[in-house]
Amino acid sequence: VLLSEDERWAECENEPADNAWTITARLHSENSELVQYTWTPEANTNSYTVDLADLLPETEYDFTLNLASGDKLDGENVTLTIDHKSVTVPENTTILEAARSVNINIPTLCYCPDVGCGTANKPASCRLCLVEATGIRGPRKILVPACATPLARDGVEVWTNSNRALKARRTVLELLLSDHPQTCLTCAKNQECELQKLAAEFGVREIPFRGEMNQFHVDKSAAIMRDLSKCVMCRRCETVCNKVQTVGALTGNGRGFGAKVGTASMIPLADSSCTFCGQCVNVCPVGAIVGVSYVKDVWKAINDPTKTVIVQTAPAVRVAIGEAFGLRAGDNAMGKMVAALRLMGAAEVFDTSF
């Protein structure tokens, strides 16, 4: 299926019996008419180009169909060089995707290939994926963000580990760390923080930049705690809230040094349209958005001889909990979970079924 910028689409099916292509096209308009044409190509040809303007002269179509043998429409490939290695990828593949296809690592922070339902987050805001390239905007060698630079032509040359690229990435990382609280050991994301891992990977042992740091009030609700002093403006939470969950509780606020992602007018999360689905917690690379922990309260209750602790689990927990212990995604860990809760001291364990 080929989708054009103005949402016109067409698809084709090959009929092996008579070697004819049935082309179905729809123009998104008020009446959204569906039209079909059958076209028989020349014999012994396995690649065809059809201009819909010829088939549908009464309609203004501004694209052509490239029909390969089979029922799939593919864009053309482009060839580039990454660190002196020739790579061929489909047109409009990003430099980052091309590099990863041949196991060349480029660090990222804001980029996430799938925040949910196949939706990617690539605002290129962190600039940690900077690479040096020629052929993007002429022959001059420039720095470009690998996650958001599509490949539209042959002959692009990319250097992922040039001195200029490495120095630029390190400077960006050190600037991010200069406005980030130095509380890693007590942070809820300690050892799971992507910024912390990047600092270790880059070998950052000191921060050369000193100055004013952002200070934000910690917004704590019953389920989610937000500390925007740790926000790195990756905007993953905004993307998953608006494009995947379609709740629209989070958006960019402010400009420059004070820019952060938050609710409208920076009101508390509990007073916003937030449904507390927790997807923003799931995609945050740092400790800016974390779930509120009740572990201390549970252990206190279990060890209180005057209390009888009863556990009731949500339906999804019986499956999701297994992944945290190395089980395959989707495996039912109900029995193991109940046994573990009883060993911890729970008097009864109830399931929730609808």
Side-chain angles (χ1 to χ4, degrees):
V1 176
L2 177 70
L3 181 64
S4 69
E5 293 181 357
D6 58 352
E7 294 187 333
R8 297 166 178 169
W9 62 263
E11 62 183 2
C12 61
E13 295 180 356
N14 183 238
E15 302 291 341
D18 55 7
N19 196 34
W21 291 85
T22 299
I23 300 175
T24 304
R26 183 193 298 275
L27 174 63
H28 288 278
S29 59
E30 293 181 1
N31 54 10
S32 190
E33 295 182 359
L34 183 68
V35 291
Q36 285 190 343
Y37 287 85
T38 299
W39 171 70
T40 303
E42 296 180 5
N44 302 319
T45 305
N46 58 13
S47 181
Y48 326 105
T49 298
V50 184
D51 192 337
L52 286 185
D54 296 334
L55 297 176
L56 308 172
E58 70 280 5
T59 308
E60 293 183 0
Y61 284 91
D62 60 358
F63 64 92
T64 60
L65 288 176
N66 294 311
L67 309 181
S69 56
D71 59 357
K72 188 177 181 181
L73 300 177
D74 292 325
E76 296 183 1
N77 290 334
V78 294
T79 300
L80 70 153
T81 302
I82 306 178
D83 294 341
H84 309 290
K85 179 183 291 187
S86 180
V87 183
T88 300
V89 292
E91 186 181 10
N92 291 322
T93 299
T94 64
I95 292 177
L96 178 63
E97 293 166 340
R100 289 185 172 181
S101 71
V102 291
N103 297 318
I104 295 176
N105 178 56
I106 299 174
T108 60
L109 182 61
C110 69
Y111 173 77
C112 183
D114 186 4
V115 295
C117 299
T119 301
N121 182 74
K122 45 182 178 181
S125 58
C126 73
R127 263 10 192 203
L128 279 169
C129 65
L130 287 174
V131 295
E132 207 168 6
T134 61
I136 301 295
R137 301 187 195 120
R140 190 164 60 94
K141 191 180 287 188
I142 59 174
L143 289 173
V144 295
C147 75
T149 303
L151 297 162
R153 61 179 65 88
D154 291 323
V156 172
E157 290 189 69
V158 177
W159 294 268
T160 66
N161 288 313
S162 69
N163 185 57
R164 186 183 178 193
L166 291 175
K167 185 177 180 180
R169 287 184 208 152
R170 188 179 185 87
T171 299
V172 168
L173 180 59
E174 289 172 344
L175 285 168
L176 282 170
L177 292 170
S178 72
D179 187 32
H180 198 82
Q182 308 299 309
T183 57
C184 295
L185 293 179
T186 57
C187 179
K189 291 294 287 284
N190 184 31
Q191 297 186 342
E192 296 179 353
C193 173
E194 293 183 32
L195 183 63
Q196 187 183 50
K197 291 177 181 177
L198 285 168
E201 180 182 325
F202 277 64
V204 175
R205 297 294 178 263
E206 59 180 356
I207 302 182
F209 304 105
R210 300 291 177 183
E212 182 182 355
M213 297 180 67
N214 274 306
Q215 298 292 333
F216 290 91
H217 173 71
V218 176
D219 177 18
K220 186 175 182 179
S221 63
I224 293 175
M225 182 171 67
R226 296 186 306 134
D227 184 356
L228 297 185
S229 300
K230 299 177 181 179
C231 178
V232 293
M233 280 297 286
C234 70
R235 311 192 83 147
R236 292 187 193 179
C237 58
E238 181 182 1
T239 299
V240 74
C241 185
N242 290 281
K243 294 185 178 181
V244 180
Q245 300 301 100
T246 64
V247 173
L250 298 174
T251 186
N253 286 271
R255 291 180 178 274
F257 181 68
K260 297 295 172 186
V261 174
T263 56
S265 302
M266 299 297 284
I267 62 175
L269 202 61
D271 298 334
S272 70
S273 59
C274 178
T275 61
F276 296 96
C277 67
Q279 293 306 305
C280 57
V281 176
N282 189 44
V283 299
C284 182
V286 292
I289 308 179
V290 297
V292 175
S293 174
Y294 291 93
V295 172
K296 289 183 179 179
D297 297 332
V298 172
W299 278 116
K300 184 177 179 180
I302 288 175
N303 291 308
D304 188 341
T306 66
K307 292 183 177 180
T308 299
V309 177
I310 297 174
V311 177
Q312 182 172 353
T313 62
V317 173
R318 71 186 74 147
V319 175
I321 195 172
E323 294 183 53
F325 293 93
L327 299 181
R328 293 180 306 173
D331 281 359
N332 192 333
M334 185 68 179
K336 295 180 175 64
M337 179 184 67
V338 172
L341 288 169
R342 292 299 302 274
L343 287 171
M344 289 170 60
E348 303 286 348
V349 180
F350 292 95
D351 186 22
T352 304
S353 299
F354 298 100

